[in-house]
Amino acid sequence: MALLKIKFYPDPILRKKCEAIKEITEEIKNLGRDMVETMEKNKGIGLSAPQVGELKRIIIVQAENQPRVLINPKIIKKTKETEIGEEGCLSFPGLFLKIKRAKGVETEALNENGEKINFKAEGLPARILQHETDHLDGILFIDKISFWQKLKIRKKLQLRDPAA
Ligand code: CO
C-alpha cells in the first residue's frame, strides 16, 4: 500500500479525459487500494484517478460508511429532481461550493474483482458519484457554478494558479 500524491488545481491533468480500463490487472487493483488509502488519509469522501495522476476510469466513493472502488463507472439514470448541496474537492483544498446535482443516480461499473455492479444512490453518495465521474471527463465542480459565483471565488483560484 502506498499513499499517493494529490494533484491540485490548476494541474493540467485534471482537465484530461480518462481511458476505460480494459483489464483489471494487479496494477489496477493496487491503484484502487492506494486510492482508498489516500482518500482516507486526506479525510475525503470521494477520489478519482486523475487526482492522483492516473488517466484511468476509476473512482472511489464513500457510501454506507465504506469506500467502494468503481471501475469504468457510468451514470445510466439521473432523477429529474435536483438538490443543492455543499461540495469540496481534494484538488481544491479549502474551497467549498454549493452545487446543484441530480438527487439520485443509478450507476453501472465493475468492482475490483471485475464483476458488473449496479449501484443506486440518493443524496450524498449520489452527489459524490456525479462529482467523481465528472472528474474522469476533465469536468470540475468549479464548472458547475454560475458566472457570478465564479467571479466571487476568482481570487481564491488565482492564489493557486499564477497563470490565471
Ligand atoms: Co473532486
Side-chain angles (χ1 to χ4, degrees), residues 46-48 51 88-92 131-132 135 139-141:
L47 185 66
S48 64
Q51 291 179 279
C89 179
L90 289 178
S91 295
F92 293 80
H131 178 119
E132 301 310 333
H135 268 299
I139 299 164
L140 304 172
F141 73 154

